[in-house]
Amino acid sequence: MTPADSEPLPLPTVCRTAVWTAQMRADESRAPNACAVDPWAAEFVAAAGPQDPPPGGPEARAFLHDGVAVRTRYFDDCLLEAVRGGCTQVVLLGAGLDARAFRLPWPRPVDVFEVDLPELLAFKERVVGGRVPAVARRVTVAADLRDDWAEALTAAGFDPARRTAWLCEGTLAYLAPDRADAVVRAMAAHSPPGSAVAAETATSHGSLDCLRSCRDALAADGAPWRSSLRDPASWWAERGWRMTVPDPASLPYAAERMARYVPMLREAGDTGGWLLTGTRCGPTPA
């Protein structure tokens, strides 16, 4: 019997956003022409037991599903490209129920570090058990991004002299502005030239009715979005990263899902920055 067939495993309320994301990935995995397929997502959801649906009404949930589907595929491709380009370490900050360490077809040996709260990592380990294929060397790092997570990462075997691909997916918006700033500066301080980053940021979504209800519900559930950026590329550049901001509508696998999403963002005055990729450049800002 697998953990998913057993009684639900305890999971702190603060981790429910990870379960919601896994549910949307599981739903997408069953869709025709899925953007990304995550065979582990349904197991995580089953192990967590019955949950309230993601916050917001049907329109907001459809909006979120499309966004999760596209960003999952986008970040999958970004990380694989970074490893092909020479990065030998991958760090997933606020990893949640991410299964990339063992579901992606890594093109070369790579160390994948998953940084998240100890309670969430313990839940994840109970589901995964010893069934993880040895595609990459997976290292879990129990740490809070509001504390000295970089020290814990280094103690777990991370080498700041090696080129690294960093992922901030569904993470920075939940941190206060000063903590988001500290996280990105710490990433730069632990990255040699040629390192890469892929990130999601909250921008100017406040005027979208379908997302305003979602943000309000998240705040009531104890997981508010605490920071947003008006000019993400410039903000990251000031912290040592040269960023590229794609138009989601231009992604070949995203056209159908973004047909409704992108016009709504533009109508709300969003000039871009939801998804970003970049490389380490210049000295680390003080």
Side-chain angles (χ1 to χ4, degrees), residues 121-144:
L121 292 177
F123 167 86
K124 193 172 183 179
E125 287 304 307
R126 290 180 63 185
V127 176
V128 172
R131 300 178 297 130
V132 179
V135 178
R137 188 175 79 95
R138 175 173 171 257
V139 181
T140 58
V141 182
D144 191 323

Side-chain angles (χ1 to χ4, degrees), residues 21-45 65 68-70 72-73 76 99 103 257:
T21 299
Q23 180 65 70
M24 287 183 274
R25 284 178 172 157
D27 292 342
E28 179 64 18
S29 296
R30 293 188 289 267
N33 302 315
C35 275
V37 175
D38 183 347
W40 291 87
E43 287 206 44
F44 291 134
V45 173
H65 174 98
V68 167
V70 170
T72 298
R73 171 64 180 276
D76 284 357
R103 72 171 174 80
R257 290 165 180 81

Side-chain angles (χ1 to χ4, degrees), residues 266-281:
R266 289 175 177 160
E267 183 179 349
D270 193 330
T271 57
W274 166 47
L275 302 175
L276 307 95
T277 55
T279 56
R280 180 73 177 91
C281 63

